[in-house]
Structure formats: structure tokens, C-alpha cells
Amino acid sequence: MQHIFVLNGPNLNLLGSREPEIYGVETLEDIHQRMTAAANGAQITFRQTNSEGELVNLVQEASKAASVLIINAGAYTHTSIALHDALRACDAKIIEVHLSNPAAREDFRATNYVSPCATATIAGLGARGYLIALDAALQMTD
Ligand code: DQA
């Protein structure tokens, strides 16, 4: 059975109430439920953390347990070399997701430490991006 990790970084626990005009009105729980419904028999592990070190720990866990890691690292995308190094060492294939399109926003979001480690990036499609990432993950075989 395919095992997919879905990791969300800082402030994504606030989805639904956080700047809904940018991030939409669906909660992270709504997104997880939609992904579970679309899992097609795959096992999905969902984790969210606001802590950089914990995100690194979870990437290391995904590397051992999962074939694909779907990650929205939130603002750590733009700041964390520790996360970049963990992703470089990760054995799972990586799909990066962003609800918004960081490239079309403030200049400080132009730096991205996740994309160079990812097979694919899906940005700007809101919650649908997670489902598109899942669909792609389900078609990735080792
Ligand atoms: C985000 C984009 C990041 O720039 C931002 O810091 C977030 C959310 C997104 O999903 O659009 O926290 O990753």
C-alpha cells in the first residue's frame, strides 16, 4: 500500500479564518477530509506544525515511512535552510503545494528553499492544489 505524507507548516492550522481572501475559507481539516476521500486505498499521514525543528523531524519521518511527501512549508519555504537540507536528504518524492502563488506576491516570498528539492510545485490553486498533488502522488510509483 502506498504511503503518502502531507506536511503543513506554520499558520496553516489557521486556514479558514486566516486571510480568507488569499487562502480561502476551507479549514485544514476540510482539506484533509477531501484528501482522505480521494486517497483511493493509499495510506495518508497528515501533520501540521508551527515549529521549524518539528517540520525537519517530520520530513525525516516521511523519508523513512513514505514514498511521496506533499508539503506546504508556509513561511519556512522562504527562510529555512534547515528545511532545505532535510528535504535534500529525503528519500520520498516531494510535491510542494501553496494555496496562493508566492511568486505573484511580496518580494520576500521570491526566495524559495523548497522548490529546488521538489519534483513538482503546485501554487495558486487554493485547496484544490492539495487534491491535484494527491492525484499526482497516487500516480508516482517507485
Ligand atoms: C503559503 C505561502 C507562503 O508565502 C505563506 O507564508 C504561507 C502560505 C501558501 O500556501 O500560499 O504561510 O505557503
Side-chain angles (χ1 to χ4, degrees):
M1 187 206 291
Q2 198 183 11
H3 189 178
I4 297 166
F5 253 62
V6 179
L7 300 187
N8 279 283
N11 298 307
L12 292 162
N13 55 314
L14 300 179
L15 282 185
S17 59
R18 173 195 182 200
E19 299 185 277
E21 65 287 357
I22 297 176
Y23 299 116
V25 294
E26 279 187 81
T27 65
L28 196 55
E29 184 53 33
D30 292 335
I31 292 170
H32 289 175
Q33 281 180 18
R34 284 174 69 186
M35 293 179 87
T36 300
N40 206 20
Q43 180 188 347
I44 310 184
T45 297
F46 298 102
R47 296 281 186 272
Q48 187 276 331
T49 178
N50 291 324
S51 145
E52 182 176 9
E54 181 60 15
L55 199 57
V56 168
N57 285 339
L58 288 167
V59 169
Q60 292 182 7
E61 216 181 288
S63 177
K64 287 191 218 125
S67 59
V68 183
L69 166 61
I70 296 171
I71 182 165
N72 182 349
Y76 291 138
T77 304
H78 315 300
T79 62
S80 179
I81 296 169
L83 176 63
H84 174 86
D85 286 347
L87 291 170
R88 280 178 68 104
C90 181
D91 287 333
K93 293 199 177 105
I94 295 160
I95 304 178
E96 178 188 16
V97 172
H98 297 283
L99 294 134
S100 67
N101 180 4
R105 298 179 61 193
E106 303 94 328
D107 288 349
F108 60 79
R109 295 183 206 276
T111 300
N112 187 324
Y113 290 106
V114 173
S115 281
C117 311
T119 299
T121 297
I122 299 159
L125 296 177
R128 201 153 59 93
Y130 287 88
L131 292 164
I132 293 168
L134 176 60
D135 186 53
L138 292 173
Q139 292 177 52
M140 286 176 173
T141 47
D142 284 330

